[in-house]
Amino acid sequence: MMKKILFSYLKKIPVGAMLVSGLFMQPLLAQEGTLTSFPYEQSFMSGTETPKDFIAIGDVTFSNQGMLLTPAGNNKNGVALLDGISFASGDGIKIEFEFGIWGGTSTNEYPNGGDGLSVFLYDGSLKAENDNDFIGTYGEGLGYTYRRTNNNYSNERKGGLKGAYLGIALDPLGYFHQARFKSYMRKNGVQDRGDQPGLTTKTSQVTLRGGIGQQNNDLNIGAREPRFNGYPVLFTRTTETNEGSRLMAKLKEDGDFYYFYNDKLDNNFKLNTDSLGINPSDNNYRKAFIELVPNPEGGYNITVKIQHGAIVTTVINNYHYKTQTKYQENALPVGKKFGTDFNILDDRSPTTSGAIGATLNTSPPETFKIGFGGATGRETNNHLIRNLKVEILYAAEAEDDEANLSCEESVEIAVLKNDVAYANPLETPSSENLDKTSFRFIAADGSIVTTIPYFVEGEGSWFYDSGTGFVTFSPVQGFEGPASIKYDINGNVEPYNSENHRALPATITVNVGRCVCTVEGASGEAQDASVGISTLNRNSNTWLENVKQGVNLVLESSTKPFVITRVINVSSITEPVEGMLVWETSTSSLKLYKASGWSTLREGCNKPVLRTNQ
């Protein structure tokens, strides 16, 4: 694991501003007043309302399946911005989410449907006041990049995402990474014409694009404004095949692309699937893991992994996204600097000599915000996101726990045994680095539990012992089924014990079963029954001779139950006798009188506390 470096700048440099010179390095602390919130978790499956702190734009809807960015219809577009929360950038960031791309069109030309979905990071100091103006273009831009056009499509011109730092596309169609020069779409990217034939396989691309552009008067009219240039392709590759000589493209130091084929994937797969996968046992299941690890030279090492079914494949491994990015604006009209988009022509400059090199400042902002985009066009797919988790690097990690309980009065679970925290990023995290006193129960509504034991109506009580790290659950009488509660935990070693390093919540589940127990009967020979009462029209007493149960009275019926004496409260019995049984209606319970007084009879074997996961 790479050594962790904390970094920032002597002063804040806006994303997309001109870089003067050098690197600006010093440890980063969250500025006063900056809203940061690690860890963050959102299932998107809690109902139809837009979740708190999110802005939903376009065709986005919510359901118990997740956040649907687009349905599988033509020309659908959706963007969701987590605009109410920002995340400190200095210690790096981990993002994971389940996704589904399925159910759309499939033709010989476009077998994967279209277009795709994106996850992006933008400057956390910005607020999306004008929703549609804030985001990038739809269609193949996936809410991130810009769209330049000629005058025939002037109403479709749109700048890229404001404050953009990084866009990551999961792109079955494969247009997000491509340079395009059409009357209706002009953007830089990987070429696919003439002396630059592009990638061997263009579909099922995982693509990184960089940040917002800058004022650049060397470009043609229409491309000079910051939101109409920049957003360069940094890296792109297909997940679909290992065949071909140009499987991936990587931006070089000189701003051109390097194509290569020798870094093959261990497993090939498509980003889109036949149906929405629910869990890893389904081959249609998809999950993305994204890590931005601070690089000692500035910027981040970016890793993208995709889980397909039960297999996790590293698609992009430690790409260094630097604080300066050279690239080529290579979708320009004839005339380059003196050309213009503001006509009805489609005359393009040569792909190589007609490109203009540019250098962007791609220094990370002090805080990030996160967004998602999805789009369809003539080709379609459903695009869905769910179970989003955002963490700081080297945060504590908590795993779910499960126990079974039947006849015992309670169960004791060593919940911290499979949890870990960091003492040093170069060392393997360990449960020894956990702060047992930082344990917190989390109620069903997401609030922190402040009273221990914590009682859940109809289920039972939860108790935590900070000395042992054990959780005890005691069910209420008569409860059967699963009882669950969430908790989190933190580390005990600085700096990995800050609240930002607290683990994402894990779940403790106790499955309470029906208690069925048996005991050995008394020794000796059973006696004949001497008295019998039957509702079955017995014509002789011989049936009693066959009943040897060691009892004096036999009651027999196929439809008539025996009802014990019922009282509202046992206190009304003035002369109780040991062995007396009665049903108390006020408590709906069976009572037995012993020398010590009345007690409630409950199903069970009077076993001790069950201890598990020790």
Side-chain angles (χ1 to χ4, degrees):
M1 185 178 293
M2 176 173 291
K3 185 177 181 181
K4 182 179 176 187
I5 305 293
L6 306 181
F7 70 100
S8 185
Y9 313 98
L10 295 177
K11 61 179 181 179
K12 186 176 180 182
I13 306 171
V15 174
M18 295 292 288
L19 182 68
V20 179
S21 64
L23 297 176
F24 303 87
M25 308 269 305
Q26 71 171 16
L28 174 64
L29 300 176
Q31 291 187 344
E32 184 178 356
T34 299
L35 175 62
T36 58
S37 185
F38 286 112
Y40 177 82
E41 187 174 27
Q42 175 57 252
S43 72
F44 298 117
M45 296 187 290
S46 298
T48 59
E49 298 297 319
T50 301
K52 179 184 177 183
D53 297 314
F54 266 88
I55 296 174
I57 306 167
D59 295 307
V60 180
T61 58
F62 299 89
S63 72
N64 59 5
Q65 280 195 322
M67 176 173 67
L68 189 66
L69 294 168
T70 76
N74 297 114
N75 302 310
K76 300 295 184 180
N77 304 284
V79 170
L81 304 174
L82 182 52
D83 201 60
I85 296 178
S86 57
F87 302 93
S89 65
D91 287 345
I93 192 170
K94 292 167 60 178
I95 304 169
E96 66 178 68
F97 55 89
E98 297 173 355
F99 68 92
I101 304 174
W102 84 101
T105 55
S106 179
T107 64
N108 290 335
E109 185 178 5
Y110 301 108
N112 295 344
D115 279 58
L117 63 83
S118 67
V119 54
F120 46 79
L121 302 176
Y122 61 100
D123 188 342
S125 68
L126 301 181
K127 185 70 178 173
E129 295 178 357
N130 185 325
D131 301 344
N132 283 299
D133 178 63
F134 190 87
I135 63 176
T137 189
Y138 288 129
E140 65 193 68
L142 301 181
Y144 188 75
T145 66
Y146 59 83
R147 178 193 293 263
R148 297 182 3 249
T149 73
N150 72 12
N151 279 350
N152 285 332
Y153 294 87
S154 59
N155 62 329
E156 296 186 18
R157 290 186 182 121
K158 197 169 191 326
L161 175 71
K162 285 185 178 180
Y165 175 70
L166 175 68
I168 303 169
L170 308 177
D171 185 13
L173 184 64
Y175 278 174
F176 183 80
H177 76 280
Q178 293 186 40
R180 302 269 276 164
F181 189 88
K182 302 286 187 181
S183 56
Y184 57 87
M185 169 60 86
R186 296 173 181 180
K187 74 177 193 304
N188 67 56
V190 177
Q191 295 286 6
D192 187 24
R193 57 177 285 228
D195 58 339
Q196 296 185 337
L199 298 174
T200 306
T201 300
K202 300 171 181 62
T203 53
S204 202
Q205 292 285 322
V206 177
T207 304
L208 306 181
R209 275 189 178 265
I212 187 173
Q214 61 195 19
Q215 186 66 36
N216 190 339
N217 292 329
D218 288 335
L219 300 177
N220 64 281
I221 297 173
R224 295 176 181 176
E225 298 298 320
R227 293 179 65 192
F228 288 90
N229 65 74
Y231 310 86
V233 172
L234 308 173
F235 190 102
T236 190
R237 74 172 303 159
T238 181
T239 65
E240 199 165 326
T241 180
N242 281 331
E243 301 298 323
S245 60
R246 298 161 76 90
L247 289 174
M248 61 206 83
K250 179 180 179 181
L251 192 62
K252 297 190 296 184
E253 293 286 345
D254 63 2
D256 201 356
F257 289 106
Y258 168 61
Y259 298 90
F260 55 108
Y261 64 91
N262 55 350
D263 184 17
K264 299 183 185 297
L265 296 180
D266 294 333
N267 300 276
N268 293 117
F269 59 94
K270 287 188 175 185
L271 295 169
N272 60 297
T273 58
D274 295 332
S275 61
L276 177 63
I278 302 302
N279 57 63
S281 64
D282 185 342
N283 288 332
N284 293 306
Y285 179 81
R286 295 291 183 268
K287 187 174 183 178
F289 303 86
I290 301 165
E291 283 194 5
L292 277 69
V293 180
N295 186 291
E297 298 178 4
Y300 294 107
N301 289 346
I302 301 173
T303 296
V304 180
K305 299 178 182 180
I306 303 294
Q307 182 172 351
H308 43 107
I311 300 171
V312 178
T313 297
T314 300
V315 181
I316 299 174
N317 189 28
N318 282 326
Y319 174 83
H320 186 193
Y321 183 22
K322 300 181 178 180
T323 55
Q324 293 184 80
T325 300
K326 293 183 179 180
Y327 76 104
Q328 300 285 327
E329 281 293 343
N330 55 9
L332 305 177
V334 168
K336 295 192 296 185
K337 177 178 180 179
F338 301 104
T340 180
D341 289 322
F342 296 106
N343 55 35
I344 60 172
L345 303 178
D346 277 331
D347 296 328
R348 184 179 187 181
S349 290
T351 57
T352 302
S353 62
I356 292 179
T359 299
L360 292 180
N361 166 39
T362 46
S363 302
E366 292 180 354
T367 60
F368 290 131
K369 290 180 179 178
I370 296 174
F372 296 91
T376 70
R378 184 180 64 182
E379 311 305 323
T380 69
N381 270 313
N382 297 292
H383 297 97
L384 180 137
I385 300 288
R386 64 186 177 199
N387 291 326
L388 169 67
K389 297 180 180 180
V390 185
E391 295 179 272
I392 197 171
L393 291 178
Y394 315 120
E397 300 170 9
E399 299 292 335
D400 293 346
D401 300 278
E402 187 170 3
N404 297 312
L405 179 65
S406 56
C407 297
E408 296 81 9
E409 293 188 358
S410 60
V411 61
E412 199 172 70
I413 310 166
V415 295
L416 303 186
K417 183 179 179 181
N418 56 349
D419 301 342
V420 295
Y422 285 86
N424 186 313
L426 296 178
E427 298 175 359
T428 302
S430 167
S431 59
E432 297 297 319
N433 302 324
L434 293 171
D435 177 6
K436 293 178 182 177
T437 65
S438 70
F439 181 98
R440 305 185 306 191
F441 283 126
I442 301 172
D445 62 2
S447 61
I448 304 301
V449 172
T450 57
T451 302
I452 303 294
Y454 176 60
F455 182 75
V456 178
E457 186 71 30
E459 294 185 3
S461 62
W462 298 88
F463 177 77
Y464 174 73
D465 186 336
S466 60
T468 63
F470 282 24
V471 167
T472 301
F473 175 68
S474 302
V476 297
Q477 180 182 343
F479 174 74
E480 294 179 32
S484 63
I485 193 168
K486 288 182 178 288
Y487 76 95
D488 61 22
I489 191 73
N490 208 343
N492 60 12
V493 180
E494 293 185 353
Y496 310 108
N497 60 348
S498 74
E499 281 304 303
N500 279 346
H501 288 86
R502 183 172 286 275
L504 282 163
T507 301
I508 307 168
T509 301
V510 177
N511 300 303
V512 181
R514 181 177 179 82
C515 179
V516 178
C517 60
T518 60
V519 295
E520 293 184 3
S523 61
E525 184 178 353
Q527 301 298 311
D528 292 344
S530 58
V531 178
I533 301 174
S534 175
T535 64
L536 301 184
N537 297 318
R538 299 288 187 179
N539 294 321
S540 70
N541 294 328
T542 57
W543 65 279
L544 279 176
E545 296 177 0
N546 299 320
V547 181
K548 294 187 179 220
Q549 300 292 340
V551 295
N552 290 321
L553 173 66
V554 175
L555 303 177
E556 182 186 52
S557 177
S558 61
T559 60
K560 307 295 184 181
F562 170 69
V563 179
I564 199 170
T565 304
R566 299 159 65 91
V567 298
I568 296 175
N569 194 292
V570 293
S571 62
S572 63
I573 301 174
T574 57
E575 296 182 5
V577 178
E578 274 197 309
M580 186 177 286
L581 284 172
V582 67
W583 181 262
E584 186 178 62
T585 59
S586 61
T587 60
S588 297
S589 61
L590 184 64
K591 299 287 187 175
L592 169 67
Y593 187 80
K594 298 186 294 186
S596 58
W598 290 102
S599 61
T600 301
L601 295 183
R602 57 173 301 215
E603 194 172 45
C605 293
N606 196 29
K607 291 185 178 180
V609 173
L610 174 67
R611 291 179 172 83
T612 184
N613 294 341
Q614 297 186 64

